[in-house]
Amino acid sequence: MRIVKLTAESKKGILEDLLRRSPNQYGQYEAVVSEIIEKVKKDGDVAVFSYTKQFDKFDLNQDNIQVTSQEIAQAYSQLDPKLVEVIKRSAENIRDYHKKQLRNSWFDPKPDGSILGMKITPIARAGVYVPGGKAAYPSSVLMNVIPARVAGVEQIIMTTPCNREGKVNPGTLVAADIAGVDQIYKVGGAQAIAAMAYGTASIPKVDKITGPGNIFVALAKKSVYGHVSIDSIAGPSEILVLADETANPRYIAADLLSQAEHDELASAILITTSEELAKQVSDQVDIFVQELSRTEIMQKSLDNYGYILLAENMNDAIDAANEIASEHLEILTTNPFDVMTRIKNAGAIFLGEYSSEPLGDYFAGPNHILPTNGTAKFFSPLNVDDFLKKTSIISYSRQALEKVHKDIELFAESEGLTAHANSIKVRFE
């Protein structure tokens, strides 16, 4: 891996590099996606079936679009029973963690007869998109579905592409069943997003769409946002490791590659105050790249978006980490909890050498659907709140309103809204 001295200039260059990976930079695909969305919006199932035949080579129709209970049972028989048990234990950890995020409606009555409050209710129907083929990740099924289920969403549907025989990845089906999906449809790509956003004869319209996908899926979610809610426009995966001279270079190299293997656009960055550690990590990365599978993907990721940054001190390293606002941030320092208190921007933070990033991907419980491309500065991980709506409650007695009615009338009149003022005034004529 290349070793670069951390300066204001090098930091600026790296930030510009990373932002080029955003789905917002791929405008050349937007016309194709818009055409697919408009076609599905207009023709419904007919368009969905046609695009599935074109892209997935399967003759989809109303009779075979939905995954059956028999197909789910067959999926269980295709998986190693030990893996099924691991998925169940992971689901339980995720469920327990997200239950702690639940909040109750609240009401605050005052002696003058006024009541203010917040009514919290789940959305009615959530739609989860799950990639197929080589990018089928049962762990992402759990992460998308379980927070919705904990929130109390009435109906959860899932769309995922099938192969040319009409089969869906068995791991995806088992995870969906364990997480509690109500219906699964064999549709992928931008056409699946459009179907969930607008509804067809076979696929019901949802209120929110979550889940990762390729560039066409990301742009489709961006396009339908506003008509339905979405989680985010996800970019390529990324990891940033903050380390001092006490860190284990072999662990760091392994953790950097755990993200580099995702995608040629994935980013893996180490920021350290130790030149010796930087060299050791670089050497260890070279060894691992040759030993592990997906060598070509990892090497391209490192060549394009892999960096080891040498910082003068830990304060500079932390400042850079906050600017980059990485999806995953590992802290491998003498006192990781102290460093953590100074981190403002990160999707998920992993503390200490036994808290490597895949722990969060698969098992610990916190959600692995995280903000990417610097959006951790203003976005949060997927959570229970994403599936809840808040409604303000206001109730005033005559006594309570009488004390403030002239203030409200003055405020309304200052904005030229005399009907607003009158709506209050008539109650005290």
Side-chain angles (χ1 to χ4, degrees):
M1 287 181 71
R2 75 194 113 174
I3 299 174
V4 178
K5 187 173 177 59
L6 178 61
T7 63
E9 189 175 336
S10 64
K11 182 169 67 175
K12 182 174 181 287
I14 289 167
L15 287 169
E16 289 173 352
D17 254 6
L18 297 179
L19 288 174
R20 288 193 194 101
R21 306 171 310 136
S22 167
N24 293 320
Q25 303 298 320
Y26 293 84
Q28 68 267 36
Y29 300 115
E30 287 184 346
V32 175
V33 170
S34 293
E35 183 182 340
I36 292 171
I37 289 171
E38 287 305 312
K39 193 87 170 164
V40 172
K41 186 177 177 181
K42 177 173 175 284
D43 298 332
D45 275 352
V46 173
V48 170
F49 300 157
S50 174
Y51 283 124
T52 301
K53 177 66 174 174
Q54 179 182 343
F55 298 130
D56 300 318
K57 315 303 179 190
F58 178 66
D59 282 317
L60 200 66
N61 57 56
Q62 284 189 323
D63 295 327
N64 62 20
I65 189 172
Q66 190 171 335
V67 171
T68 64
S69 56
Q70 290 81 7
E71 287 175 295
I72 292 173
Q74 185 181 26
Y76 273 97
S77 70
Q78 292 175 289
L79 283 195
D80 182 341
K82 290 181 180 177
L83 176 58
V84 174
E85 289 306 311
V86 169
I87 293 173
K88 287 180 179 177
R89 290 199 296 274
S90 175
E92 195 57 38
N93 291 342
I94 296 165
R95 194 173 293 110
D96 287 346
Y97 180 86
H98 286 81
K99 280 180 179 177
K100 292 177 175 65
Q101 298 173 350
L102 276 171
R103 293 189 287 166
N104 296 319
S105 300
W106 58 269
F107 300 90
D108 183 22
K110 297 290 176 63
D112 63 6
S114 63
I115 301 174
L116 300 178
M118 181 78 73
K119 185 175 182 231
I120 300 176
T121 53
I123 63 175
R125 184 184 290 131
V128 176
Y129 183 85
V130 178
K134 292 179 180 178
Y137 299 123
S139 58
S140 286
V141 177
L142 303 180
M143 295 293 181
N144 279 279
V145 175
I146 291 174
R149 190 53 77 199
V150 169
V153 175
E154 295 171 28
Q155 186 182 26
I156 303 171
I157 72 166
M158 190 175 93
T159 59
T160 187
C162 60
N163 63 19
R164 59 180 65 234
E165 285 79 41
K167 302 294 184 183
V168 174
N169 180 280
T172 295
L173 294 185
V174 168
D177 185 61
I178 290 170
V181 174
D182 295 301
Q183 286 100 35
I184 305 169
Y185 299 94
K186 302 175 182 178
V187 184
Q191 61 271 25
I193 302 300
M196 289 192 284
Y198 298 103
T200 73
S202 299
I203 300 175
K205 180 191 180 307
V206 303
D207 300 307
K208 181 158 192 165
I209 300 172
T210 67
N214 63 19
I215 187 63
F216 296 98
V217 169
L219 291 175
K221 286 170 69 178
K222 179 183 176 184
S223 181
V224 301
Y225 176 63
H227 189 76
V228 294
S229 179
I230 63 170
D231 49 354
S232 64
I233 309 295
S237 190
E238 50 199 36
I239 185 171
L240 190 152
V241 179
L242 267 180
D244 61 19
E245 70 283 352
T246 65
N248 185 315
R250 185 170 171 84
Y251 294 173
I252 294 172
D255 295 352
L256 292 172
L257 292 177
S258 74
Q259 295 310 290
E261 75 168 344
H262 265 300
D263 189 327
E264 292 169 3
L265 293 175
S267 165
I269 298 173
L270 164 65
I271 306 179
T272 182
T273 51
S274 169
E275 186 172 357
E276 183 181 355
L277 180 75
K279 292 174 180 175
Q280 290 173 335
V281 170
S282 181
D283 292 342
Q284 192 63 60
V285 164
D286 292 341
I287 294 169
F288 274 141
V289 166
Q290 298 309 314
E291 293 177 350
L292 300 169
S293 61
R294 300 172 76 89
T295 296
E296 189 176 343
I297 291 174
M298 288 190 292
Q299 193 59 61
K300 285 187 177 177
S301 166
L302 295 174
D303 290 345
N304 292 325
Y305 303 106
Y307 298 92
I308 297 176
L309 299 177
L310 263 178
E312 286 282 339
N313 52 61
M314 189 52 66
N315 285 336
D316 288 350
I318 291 169
D319 287 345
N322 280 324
E323 279 295 305
I324 293 170
S326 186
E327 177 187 18
H328 306 101
L329 172 63
E330 290 188 3
I331 302 177
L332 300 171
T333 60
T334 307
N335 189 345
F337 287 90
D338 173 65
V339 174
M340 179 268 292
T341 63
R342 291 183 277 164
I343 295 296
K344 298 176 182 176
N345 306 319
I349 300 174
F350 300 79
L351 302 172
E353 63 182 11
Y354 294 105
S355 306
S356 64
E357 188 278 334
L359 175 66
D361 272 353
Y362 293 108
F363 207 76
N367 211 289
H368 79 201
I369 311 294
L370 301 167
T372 56
N373 279 109
T375 59
K377 291 177 180 177
F378 45 84
F379 278 146
S380 305
L382 190 71
N383 62 83
V384 168
D385 272 358
D386 284 303
F387 300 95
L388 296 173
K389 303 180 284 98
K390 287 89 172 177
T391 305
S392 301
I393 303 295
I394 302 169
S395 175
Y396 265 49
S397 65
R398 177 182 176 86
Q399 176 192 355
L401 185 60
E402 190 168 17
K403 289 192 298 185
V404 298
H405 79 95
K406 290 189 182 300
D407 293 341
I408 301 167
E409 292 163 22
L410 177 60
F411 213 151
E413 287 166 357
S414 75
E415 294 185 348
L417 299 175
T418 55
H420 277 64
N422 188 58
S423 170
I424 298 291
K425 191 181 296 182
V426 294
R427 286 164 166 76
F428 298 98
E429 289 175 341

